[in-house]
Structures are given as C-alpha cells and as structure tokens.
C-alpha cells in the first residue's frame, strides 16, 4: 500500500553515550485510522505498539479512540487525552505514564490550521517527573496538507509558547505533513532544535534535552513509520 518506501527502509539510529538510563522514551505514530478500520487490521497496529513498549509519552495522529488503543495495546498505566475528534477536527491524542509523571493543570488543545479534511490541532499536557521534579510540556500535532509556509511554523511555535512555563522541557510529536527543508519546519526546528526526525514524522525537543538514541521502525499496517526516541532531561 501507500508508504511502501517507509516499510522497506532500514532503521536509522542516533546514539549519544551516557552511563545512566534515559529519563523518558517518546513515540510518535500515525495510525492510518480509516484504512486500518476498513480492513479490520487493529491487531497489526497494536502489535507495533507492543513491540516498542515500554514507553512514557506517545502522540498519535489519525486516532479516533485513544482509550481503546491504550487498553488493547498493552499500554498499562497510561493516562490519556483524546482532544477534539472527527468530523470537524483531525484528532491528535496523547498518552503518558501515570507512574512517572504528575499532571500539572489540565490537558488541552490549540487550533493550528485547517485544510480540506477539517481543523488541525496541537494537543498538550504539562507534566512533572515524580523523581526529578523536572517539568515537561508534551504536545502532539497533525499538520495540514499543502501548507508548509513560515506562518504554519509560527502557528506551532505560538501554540507551544502559549502553554510553556519557565523551566519546561518541550517534546512535540507529530505527522507534520512538511519535510525538514520547508519554511514551516525550518522555523519550528529553530525553536525545537533536537530530536529524532524522519521525513514528515518527528519527535522534536529543545536544546535542554539530550538525545540518547532513537529511530524509526516499520509502521505497517499504517502508511507511516513509528518514530521513537529516548532522552535525558
């Protein structure tokens, strides 16, 4: 199906050597919801997630029922936020490990664009690591099709800046629908300069966060890879 080049590609890893274990593992995964639903291929999607478990933060794109995905994919101990959904919005739900984080405030969303498929959003939650007390702004997005101009990058940065508080590390997962060389992504990656990138699917973070390792793995039956990274805070 579509995305065959993703499926055939090898796993690429970026490693930085440290003696300690990384603090968090972050996943981004577009689930290709309508297609997987049409072919009743949920077991394949769930298997991809089980293969990467355990992880601590996950951002889904094209996911209309995050509660079911968490329950059926072996993601024990995860809390989640669905955010707005079809038919008016393109869902971009998030989930996080309850045993690792305390939630600060309430999850929410910002509108960051639109296209023929509806309103595009950025979902977010502020968290605090229970042990180190480091605070994290975790966000997820599914960018609009056909808009990779600088203003789109500004919309993502504005949404993050409106929720980020002093001292927050930032993680932004997403299918951005924009390649790295586009004006939108150049502006955004100027703000979030670290992370794991793969064509249009990324796990982005800021310069206060050190990458340990990461890469992309086969996402089939999705037409996107699953992108992951582990990080020191």
């Amino acid at each position: 199906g579509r995305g065959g080049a993703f499926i055939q590609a090898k796993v690429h890893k970026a490693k930085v050597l440290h003696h300690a274990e990384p603090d968090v593992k972050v996943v981004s995964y577009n689930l290709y919801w309508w297609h997987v639903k049409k072919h009743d291929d949920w077991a394949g999607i769930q298997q991809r997630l089980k293969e990467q478990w355990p992880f601590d933060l996950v951002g889904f794109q094209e996911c209309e029922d995050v509660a079911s995905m968490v329950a059926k994919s072996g993601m024990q101990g995860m809390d989640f936020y669905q955010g707005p959904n079809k038919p008016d919005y393109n869902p971009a739900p998030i989930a996080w490990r309850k045993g690792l984080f305390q939630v600060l405030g309430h999850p929410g969303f910002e509108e960051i664009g639109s296209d023929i498929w509806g309103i595009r959003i950025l979902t977010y939650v502020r968290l605090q690591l229970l042990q180190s007390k480091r605070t994290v702004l975790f966000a997820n997005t599914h960018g609009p099709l056909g808009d990779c101009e600088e203003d789109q990058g500004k919309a993502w940065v504005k949404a993050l800046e409106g929720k980020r508080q002093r001292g927050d590390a930032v993680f932004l997962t997403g299918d951005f629908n924009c390649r790295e060389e586009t004006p939108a992504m150049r502006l955004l990656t100027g703000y979030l300069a670290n992370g794991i990138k793969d064509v249009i699917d990324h796990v982005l973070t800021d310069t206060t966060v050190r990458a340990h390792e990461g890469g992309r793995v086969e996402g089939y039956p999705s037409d996107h890879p699953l992108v992951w990274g582990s990080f020191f805070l």
Side-chain angles (χ1 to χ4, degrees):
R2 291 182 295 172
F6 284 153
I7 296 165
Q8 295 301 323
K10 295 179 181 178
V11 174
H12 299 287
K13 289 191 176 182
K15 285 196 176 184
V16 181
L17 296 178
H18 295 281
H19 295 297
E21 287 296 311
D23 295 297
V24 294
K25 180 179 178 181
V26 187
V27 165
S28 183
Y29 193 20
N30 182 320
L31 302 185
Y32 202 14
W33 190 269
W34 72 269
H35 186 272
V36 172
K37 181 178 181 180
K38 179 180 178 181
H39 295 278
D40 193 24
D41 209 353
W42 300 114
I45 291 288
Q46 293 157 12
Q47 183 60 31
R48 294 289 169 260
L49 292 165
K50 290 174 182 177
E51 289 166 359
Q52 289 301 312
W53 184 260
F55 45 83
D56 307 302
L57 301 170
V58 57
F60 293 118
Q61 306 86 40
E62 297 190 33
C63 175
E64 298 177 24
D65 186 356
V66 68
S68 174
M69 198 53 53
V70 167
K72 295 178 180 179
S73 301
M75 296 160 59
Q76 296 91 353
M78 297 288 273
D79 206 352
F80 51 84
Y81 169 66
Q82 175 67 53
N85 213 334
K86 294 289 187 179
D88 295 327
Y89 291 84
N90 287 273
I94 50 179
W96 57 92
R97 288 270 297 272
K98 289 185 287 187
L100 191 67
F101 298 103
Q102 174 186 349
V103 177
L104 303 175
H106 300 282
F109 75 97
E110 293 287 329
E111 297 181 7
I112 51 85
S114 63
D115 60 17
I116 61 170
W117 302 108
I119 301 167
R120 301 285 181 163
I121 60 173
L122 177 144
T123 51
Y124 66 86
V125 63
R126 286 192 71 242
L127 304 164
Q128 185 175 45
L129 283 161
L130 293 173
Q131 287 195 330
S132 71
K133 305 303 182 184
R134 180 77 192 269
T135 55
V136 172
L137 174 63
F138 174 47
N140 179 47
T141 193
H142 189 184
L145 287 168
D147 185 1
C148 295
E149 298 304 314
E150 190 172 277
D151 282 350
Q152 182 56 54
K154 289 178 180 178
W156 278 315
V157 171
K158 181 180 178 182
L160 293 169
E161 277 292 281
K163 304 304 172 185
R164 188 181 192 180
Q165 296 191 24
R166 181 186 292 271
D168 285 357
V170 178
F171 288 102
L172 174 59
T173 54
D175 166 6
F176 294 85
N177 274 320
C178 294
R179 292 177 177 266
E180 286 184 66
E181 66 272 14
T182 61
M185 292 306 295
R186 284 202 302 267
L187 189 144
L188 179 58
T189 55
Y191 179 70
L192 297 177
N194 287 345
I196 307 298
K197 304 168 190 174
D198 187 82
V199 190
I200 61 173
D201 299 281
H202 309 306
V203 176
L204 302 179
T205 188
D206 63 83
T207 55
T208 70
V209 177
R210 296 174 293 161
H212 173 61
E213 63 178 346
R216 44 106 78 207
V217 296
E218 177 182 310
Y220 182 84
S222 173
D223 61 344
H224 286 254
L226 182 151
V227 179
W228 66 277
S230 58
F231 303 89
F232 295 92
L233 295 174

